[in-house]
Amino acid sequence: MISLRRAKPEPKVVSRVRQILQRVGYNELVDFDYEVAVPYGRQRLWADLVLFESGIPIMVVEAEGTESALQAGFEEARLKAIGLNPEDPVPLIWVAAGKQDQCYFAVASDKGAGVRYELIGERPETLMRPERLTELIGDYLQRQNAELALEMRYRQEFQTNFQKLSGNDHERCRDIIAAIKGIMPRTAKPIRQLLKTLQVGRPDFNLARAFRWLMRRYFRPLASGKSDPVRKYGRFFTPSEVIRPMVEVIDPKSDESVLDFACGSGGFLLHAAEHLLKRYKVSPSDIAAKLVGYDWDETCVGIAQTVLSLASAVPAEKLNIRQGDGLRLPQEEWGEGSFDVVLSNPPAGDLPKDFSDASDDDRLLKSLPKLYEVAFLVQAVRMAKEGGRIGIIVPHGILANEQLKPLRKWLLKRVKVFAIVTLPRGLFPFTPSKMSAVIMQKVKPRRLYRVRMMETERQNFERQLGKALQVRN
């Protein structure tokens, strides 16, 4: 494929677009990305910015320096919107030219084939509100297999009240969890409104996903450097489009237990619960009893408890989600080799001294660097039953770093690796490494076997990942 020479987007206009998107509630490099490659025949175009919803492109943004370039910007954006998804073109275009904005919506062509883009007389801020997006592109999202309509309405309610709270994003998240737990007054009206939305009294996966979406702000660093708690303790948010295909291929059964020893916002537990309910018709109370989570951070535990409680209607205090050291507590409370399934995206980087080290009692592993990813990968193998399945996200370097060769040697004597899939860098914007999803089974290999290795791109990412991981028999 030929890559055409690309002109850099106008920086001031891109900055203005970014600020608008962030005000509406979208996260840079997670929900929207810059200079996205667009296949176009044998050539490659570049979209200045693309907004995604659950990995699905929903808007192409073209940034032009002056208002006089509005029409040229529209023609470029139209070409790229079609190129991103020729069978079902991206439904929204935003041309930001200087200080002027024009937005367009795809409608069926009068000629019966393809689409044409009509000008919408709305500001981008209005257009991108969840309820307006659902109204405009709900059919498109449905065709793309995104279950977002009701979830997006919940998101709007949460976002509206969240923005009215005082403090930074981390303080707001902590205040919400403290109010849910009843350990701080619920006097602020936005808190009362938010809690009212949460009180449904029945299992509601849309509400659970929307609350987890809101709480992802707790997983964004507020400062640069390793002293920021998000970086120090590896608090990274795992998008649902990563989790869903991993849960599908691991396929937790109705009689199986599931562990996430670094559960963060509870994403793996939530999607495991939804999988058990939809595929195996397990009751919400039985599901809750089979899912076990740990996290070092008290607020993360509160988020995960709330998410799973919304999904199961089981009170948070009756869930098996606890605060503490995920490298020590699972074996103390359950014993090694106790879980049929281990699913997790553990922290990466230097292991703080206040964490246990799973390699301390193994001579082969003692010489390894004290890293989160080393300790949690070892812990995953130890906590899985013989024959148990493991789905884990690790930095790609752990698979190739010469210094970690003893770890790979230790690992390959104990597990059979089915797939290693490198994930797009933008999915985890606050970690410098490429990340990979690894699917394994705790069985001793008896002969040579093939491992499927694949890289994925952001466009149609979830579909690519699902296809790459479908390797187990």
Side-chain angles (χ1 to χ4, degrees), residues 29-49:
L29 300 179
V30 177
D31 300 312
F32 60 93
D33 206 353
Y34 307 102
E35 297 188 67
V36 175
V38 180
Y40 191 74
R42 295 184 63 251
Q43 301 174 341
R44 189 187 294 271
L45 308 176
W46 303 92
D48 292 345
L49 187 148

Side-chain angles (χ1 to χ4, degrees), residues 26 49-53 55-61 74 77-95 102-109 114-120 122 127-128 132-146 148 152 459-460:
Y26 292 104
L49 187 148
V50 176
L51 177 65
F52 295 89
E53 186 59 70
I56 300 164
I58 62 170
M59 176 182 280
V60 171
V61 182
F74 165 69
R78 183 178 63 84
L79 198 64
K80 295 164 187 175
I82 294 170
L84 273 169
N85 194 0
E87 293 80 19
D88 197 355
V90 176
L92 295 171
I93 288 173
W94 170 9
V95 182
Q102 286 188 350
C103 297
Y104 301 81
F105 174 58
V107 298
S109 172
V115 299
R116 56 186 173 83
Y117 287 87
E118 290 187 348
L119 183 65
I120 305 174
E122 298 178 34
L127 185 64
M128 289 181 291
R132 180 63 175 135
L133 273 181
T134 301
E135 179 185 344
L136 268 178
I137 66 171
D139 290 345
Y140 171 82
L141 293 173
Q142 191 111 26
R143 293 194 300 272
Q144 305 299 319
N145 298 317
L148 289 170
M152 289 180 73
Q459 173 66 6
N460 294 320

Side-chain angles (χ1 to χ4, degrees), residues 93-283:
I93 288 173
W94 170 9
V95 182
K99 295 182 180 180
Q100 190 171 344
D101 298 306
Q102 286 188 350
C103 297
Y104 301 81
F105 174 58
V107 298
S109 172
D110 296 335
K111 298 178 181 179
V115 299
R116 56 186 173 83
Y117 287 87
E118 290 187 348
L119 183 65
I120 305 174
E122 298 178 34
R123 295 188 59 78
E125 298 94 322
T126 304
L127 185 64
M128 289 181 291
R129 289 176 181 167
E131 72 275 17
R132 180 63 175 135
L133 273 181
T134 301
E135 179 185 344
L136 268 178
I137 66 171
D139 290 345
Y140 171 82
L141 293 173
Q142 191 111 26
R143 293 194 300 272
Q144 305 299 319
N145 298 317
E147 298 177 337
L148 289 170
L150 183 55
E151 179 186 337
M152 289 180 73
R153 286 198 287 272
Y154 285 138
R155 286 186 191 183
Q156 175 64 18
E157 291 181 43
F158 287 147
Q159 176 71 8
T160 299
N161 289 298
F162 187 87
Q163 290 178 326
K164 294 177 183 177
L165 297 174
S166 59
N168 62 44
D169 280 358
H170 291 186
E171 291 167 342
R172 292 170 175 176
C173 290
R174 283 194 289 265
D175 287 349
I176 290 169
I177 294 302
I180 289 170
K181 291 182 175 181
I183 57 178
M184 71 166 284
R186 305 179 180 188
T187 52
K189 185 176 180 180
I191 288 278
R192 293 200 309 272
Q193 288 296 115
L194 201 150
L195 295 182
K196 183 179 178 181
T197 304
L198 294 174
Q199 293 170 354
V200 293
R202 54 178 172 75
D204 192 329
F205 284 97
N206 290 305
L207 186 58
R209 286 193 297 268
F211 184 76
R212 182 172 175 265
W213 174 87
L214 179 74
M215 291 290 106
R216 65 189 178 159
R217 290 158 178 76
Y218 189 65
F219 298 80
R220 298 179 64 189
L222 294 178
S224 59
K226 292 185 178 180
S227 61
D228 185 278
V230 170
R231 291 188 171 91
K232 181 178 179 181
Y233 292 106
R235 231 166 47 208
F236 299 120
F237 184 83
T238 311
S240 291
E241 57 263 37
V242 177
I243 297 173
R244 269 190 298 262
M246 291 182 68
V247 170
E248 285 298 312
V249 73
I250 288 290
D251 188 20
K253 306 293 194 301
S254 59
D255 59 345
E256 292 183 330
S257 53
V258 179
L259 170 68
D260 184 348
F261 40 47
C263 66
S265 64
F268 276 106
L269 299 177
L270 170 65
H271 286 279
E274 192 164 13
H275 177 86
L276 287 166
L277 179 67
K278 288 184 175 179
R279 178 168 293 188
Y280 296 107
K281 312 302 180 186
V282 183
S283 71

